[in-house]
């Protein structure tokens, strides 16, 4: 066997083909497969039309070429042909609209959902609120910084992994109410065939019913600022029993957190915890070393606020500063997290104020 | 004799309307033969075309509406 042939064979083997998948995803829900089938139907109609039209065109160009003595006809119009090529495409378009309407109506039918989840886009993270349960959390990118700055090798889920995944039950109709807090984002999970714009002040609806438990990944797909590429979507589909267990765990965790907020922590504990919070929630703007980005995000090192009165420092983190990228963190961070990050900023990143604040003193 | 003249007149009137409607339909799809265009511009009456145009627009809207209803029925 020649080298070229072997190469061609290996290119055609399945793993190589999988890497080169160009077609749309079939997805993992009945609806996503319906959309895929519609896509293929329209695709093949287009292929047939394309082959026919270009076939006739290239044949005519070749058959009646000048070198063979072809002479151009001089006529002005042919109403029959013109009507034919206007009416036939209209009929094809209308015929294609029939299955498309059927699929669209399925997609928009968000009625009778078993679980309602509000999804809110933030710069640059997602917030998931379970409307029937008292569950509300943020989902941040969890890819380590070293991988992003090429200091270590990238894992297979590079930039497609989060600290808290959205958890939904399998075989239940889950309705998503999608909106945004600051700018337009878009929530996209290819395997669900769900891509919904998240627009401040609007609520867009979508739904899924996933059959198989598993982990499905997606991204924000509306350019939304500096870290647009760093706010992935991860959805964990659990069996019904596992989902119930998860809901119970979430509630227990919430109680534990309230309990923790009433306890006092040592300065070292606060700083250690605060570093984690800072790297996850603040370093995107204020930078991991606290130097900020001049002109856009102020430095924390030597900042008048971070080294000044502690109340003003707490206030800007809890309530944000209206009209700037400095958002209110009172809903995203627990009292413990806020106390920790305040203490961290005052006593690390080159600052040495020496004071601290306890979670119980954080007024949200 | 009288009756015959009326007949010719009314059949002429029908012809004018039919021609105008055909021309309006042709304009909807953007296809018209040169002969018909010249005939319309030489003998046609403006008001007839306006009325025929409005009429056909209404029919077009109704048929789109009807088509959508039909598809929705088929879909559900
Ligand atoms: Cu975004």
């Amino acid at each position: 066997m020649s080298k070229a042939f072997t190469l061609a064979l290996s290119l055609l083997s399945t793993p190589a083909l999988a890497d080169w998948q160009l077609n749309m995803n079939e997805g993992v829900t009945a609806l996503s497969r319906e959309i895929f089938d519609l896509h293929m139907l329209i695709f093949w109609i287009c292929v047939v039309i394309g082959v026919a039209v270009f076939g006739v065109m290239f044949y005519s160009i070749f058959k009646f070429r000048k070198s063979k003595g072809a002479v151009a006809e001089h006529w002005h119009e042919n109403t029959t042909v013109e009507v034919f090529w206007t009416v036939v495409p209209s009929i094809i378009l209308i015929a294609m609209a029939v299955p498309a309407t059927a699929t669209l109506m399925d997609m928009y039918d968000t009625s009778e959902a078993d679980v309602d989840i509000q999804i809110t886009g933030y710069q640059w993270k997602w917030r998931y609120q379970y409307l029937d349960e008292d569950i509300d959390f943020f989902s941040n990118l969890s890819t380590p910084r070293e991988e992003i700055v090429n200091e270590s090798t990238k894992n297979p889920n590079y930039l497609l992994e989060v600290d808290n995944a959205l958890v939904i039950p399998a075989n239940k109709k889950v309705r998503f109410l999608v909106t945004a807090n600051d700018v337009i984002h878009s929530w996209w999970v290819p395997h669900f065939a769900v891509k919904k714009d998240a627009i401040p002040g609007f609520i867009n609806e979508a739904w899924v019913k996933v059959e198989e438990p598993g982990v499905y990944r997606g991204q924000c797909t509306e350019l939304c600022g500096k870290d647009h590429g760093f706010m992935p979507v991860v959805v964990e589909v659990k069996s019904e029993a596992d989902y119930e267990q998860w809901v119970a765990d979430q509630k227990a965790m919430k109680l534990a957190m309230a309990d923790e907020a009433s306890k006092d922590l040592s300065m070292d504990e606060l700083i250690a915890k605060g570093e984690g919070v800072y790297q996850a929630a603040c370093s995107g703007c204020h930078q991991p070393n606290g130097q900020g980005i001049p002109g856009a995000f102020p430095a924390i090192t030597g900042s008048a606020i971070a080294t000044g009165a502690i109340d003003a420092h707490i206030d800007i983190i809890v309530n944000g500063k209206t009209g700037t990228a400095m958002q209110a963190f009172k809903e995203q961070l627990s009292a413990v997290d806020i106390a920790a990050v305040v203490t961290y900023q005052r006593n690390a990143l080159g600052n040495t104020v020496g004071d601290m604040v306890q979670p119980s003193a954080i007024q949200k | 004799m009288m009756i015959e003249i009326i007949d010719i007149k009314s059949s002429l009137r029908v012809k004018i309307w039919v021609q105008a409607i055909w021309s309006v339909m042709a304009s909807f799809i953007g296809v018209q033969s040169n002969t018909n265009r010249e005939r319309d511009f030489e003998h046609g009456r403006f008001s007839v075309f306006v009325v025929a145009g409005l009429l056909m627009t209404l029919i077009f809207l109704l048929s789109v509406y009807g088509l959508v209803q039909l598809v929705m029925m088929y879909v559900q």
Side-chain angles (χ1 to χ4, degrees):
Chain A
M1 247 191 297
S2 77
K3 256 192 189 147
F5 187 66
T6 324
L7 183 73
L9 259 192
S10 71
L11 273 177
L12 282 174
S13 69
T14 357
L17 270 186
D19 287 347
W20 279 94
Q21 182 193 349
L22 295 176
N23 199 2
M24 184 178 158
N25 232 308
E26 219 174 313
V28 294
T29 68
L31 185 62
S32 77
R33 283 189 290 272
E34 190 183 328
I35 293 171
F36 180 80
D37 290 344
L38 174 69
H39 168 263
M40 292 318 290
L41 172 72
I42 306 289
F43 171 77
W44 285 116
I45 293 176
C46 293
V47 167
V48 169
I49 294 173
V51 167
V53 169
F54 285 107
V56 169
M57 198 174 104
F58 288 128
Y59 172 78
S60 313
I61 292 173
F62 181 74
K63 179 81 195 277
F64 304 106
R65 56 194 189 278
K66 199 175 172 196
S67 61
K68 289 278 177 237
V71 181
E73 283 272 2
H74 289 285
W75 46 271
H76 177 260
E77 66 193 28
N78 186 331
T79 321
T80 320
V81 172
E82 286 170 34
V83 168
F84 177 79
W85 75 42
T86 310
V87 171
V88 169
S90 306
I91 293 173
I92 295 176
L93 280 178
I94 292 171
M96 293 197 304
V98 175
T101 308
T103 305
L104 272 178
M105 286 179 61
D106 269 358
M107 285 169 68
Y108 283 97
D109 179 18
T110 50
S111 63
E112 285 165 40
D114 302 309
V115 180
D116 288 322
I117 299 173
Q118 182 182 326
I119 299 177
T120 312
Y122 283 70
Q123 279 175 324
W124 292 280
K125 64 201 113 203
W126 295 100
R127 179 183 188 178
Y128 300 116
Q129 286 162 286
Y130 293 62
L131 299 184
D132 312 317
E133 317 280 352
D134 188 20
I135 298 178
D136 175 358
F137 60 88
F138 282 80
S139 181
N140 294 284
L141 176 76
S142 64
T143 297
R145 237 190 86 74
E146 294 76 50
E147 291 186 18
I148 297 172
V149 297
N150 294 322
E151 278 166 10
S152 66
T153 47
K154 301 180 194 305
N155 78 79
N157 293 323
Y158 177 69
L159 296 188
L160 290 175
E161 47 193 344
V162 297
D163 51 359
N164 304 306
L166 171 66
V167 177
I168 60 170
N171 290 311
K172 293 256 178 196
K173 185 164 179 176
V174 180
R175 179 166 67 137
F176 300 129
L177 302 142
V178 185
T179 184
N181 182 57
D182 33 45
V183 300
I184 302 180
H185 303 265
S186 185
W187 196 83
W188 181 36
V189 179
H191 280 93
F192 296 170
V194 170
K195 183 194 260 183
K196 268 285 165 213
D197 274 0
I199 307 172
F202 288 80
I203 292 180
N204 288 329
E205 294 184 29
W207 65 274
V208 284
K209 192 171 182 178
V210 187
E211 294 124 28
E212 291 295 317
V215 177
Y216 303 99
R217 296 169 199 275
Q219 280 154 307
C220 175
T221 178
E222 181 65 58
L223 198 53
C224 60
K226 175 176 159 289
D227 280 355
H228 164 60
F230 300 81
M231 52 180 292
V233 174
V234 179
V235 184
E236 224 182 298
V237 180
K238 288 185 187 287
S239 72
E240 217 181 309
D242 287 355
Y243 175 74
E244 294 304 330
Q245 183 58 46
W246 178 83
V247 168
D249 289 350
Q250 278 322 92
K251 289 184 172 163
M253 223 166 77
K254 201 169 167 160
L255 285 180
M257 238 156 76
D259 194 40
E260 207 184 320
S262 62
K263 285 196 197 111
D264 279 358
L265 297 167
S266 75
M267 180 108 148
D268 289 343
E269 282 170 332
L270 284 169
I271 292 178
K273 197 168 174 51
E275 181 172 9
V277 176
Y278 181 82
Q279 296 304 343
C282 323
S283 65
C285 294
H286 296 294
Q287 301 304 298
N289 57 8
Q291 295 304 309
I293 296 178
F297 309 117
I300 297 301
T301 311
S303 140
I305 293 178
T307 58
I310 197 162
D311 287 342
H313 187 183
I314 296 168
D315 181 70
I316 195 170
I317 297 167
V318 170
N319 297 312
K321 187 156 175 186
T322 321
T324 74
M326 184 59 202
Q327 53 207 272
F329 280 92
K330 62 176 167 230
E331 268 151 11
Q332 307 183 35
L333 299 177
S334 66
V336 179
D337 285 345
I338 292 177
V341 79
V342 168
T343 308
Y344 173 74
Q345 287 190 332
R346 300 177 80 76
N347 300 293
L349 301 168
N351 295 336
T352 51
V353 185
D355 58 357
M356 60 174 176
V357 59
Q358 289 299 337
S360 51
I362 304 292
Q363 303 286 328
K364 289 219 263 184
Chain B
M1 191 61 191
M2 202 51 197
I3 290 167
E4 233 169 83
I5 291 177
I6 291 174
D7 261 7
I8 292 170
K9 265 194 172 169
S10 68
S11 76
L12 198 69
R13 206 173 290 152
V14 169
K15 201 175 153 196
I16 287 174
W17 278 100
V18 170
Q19 281 177 355
I21 285 172
W22 271 110
S23 293
V24 167
M25 277 165 67
S27 77
F28 276 8
I29 60 169
V31 175
Q32 176 67 299
S33 71
N34 212 22
T35 346
N36 285 354
R37 190 179 60 81
E38 275 168 8
R39 181 204 63 207
D40 287 346
F41 274 84
E42 263 155 38
H43 306 294
R45 262 180 53 207
F46 178 69
S47 57
V48 172
F49 283 98
V50 171
V51 175
L54 289 175
L55 186 76
M56 292 309 291
T57 306
L58 189 71
I59 290 175
F60 175 71
L61 290 180
L62 287 177
S63 54
V64 169
Y65 179 79
L67 197 69
V68 170
Q69 293 304 314
L70 205 75
V71 171
M72 303 280 266
M73 252 165 61
Y74 162 83
V75 160
Q76 270 158 358

